[in-house]
Amino acid sequence: LYGTRPFQGRSLAELAVATLEGAIQPAPRSSKVPAWLRPILVRALKPEPTQRYPSLQAMIEEISRGESRRLRRR
């Protein structure tokens, strides 16, 4: 979505550490991805499985709710 990988590392070892630590890169300032979507993506990338969505369907439902709220504000 952002045109970059969520985790960065100059080597496979650095990438593994960043992933295990949940060191997600910040969204680029020029991003056109809606701000309300960022927390959903961050949760989906949590290193601890119990902190992620229990299923893809649950994540999709959260995205749908965010989109609905955005459309009602217009």
Side-chain angles (χ1 to χ4, degrees):
L1 288 174
Y2 295 103
T4 62
R5 295 176 189 256
F7 303 103
Q8 299 275 318
R10 290 177 291 192
S11 68
L12 188 55
E14 284 183 12
L15 180 60
V17 169
T19 302
L20 291 172
E21 291 178 351
I24 299 170
Q25 295 296 301
R29 290 180 186 246
S30 62
S31 174
K32 294 183 181 181
V33 176
W36 61 263
L37 189 55
R38 179 82 178 164
I40 296 170
L41 299 172
V42 168
R43 179 178 173 189
L45 292 168
K46 292 280 186 184
E48 179 61 41
T50 59
Q51 294 179 342
R52 295 182 215 141
Y53 291 94
S55 67
L56 182 56
Q57 183 61 40
M59 182 178 162
I60 291 169
E61 289 170 5
E62 187 72 18
I63 292 169
S64 295
R65 282 192 292 276
E67 180 66 10
S68 294
R69 285 188 292 266
R70 185 187 72 80
L71 291 173
R72 281 187 293 220
R73 290 184 196 140
R74 283 186 169 182

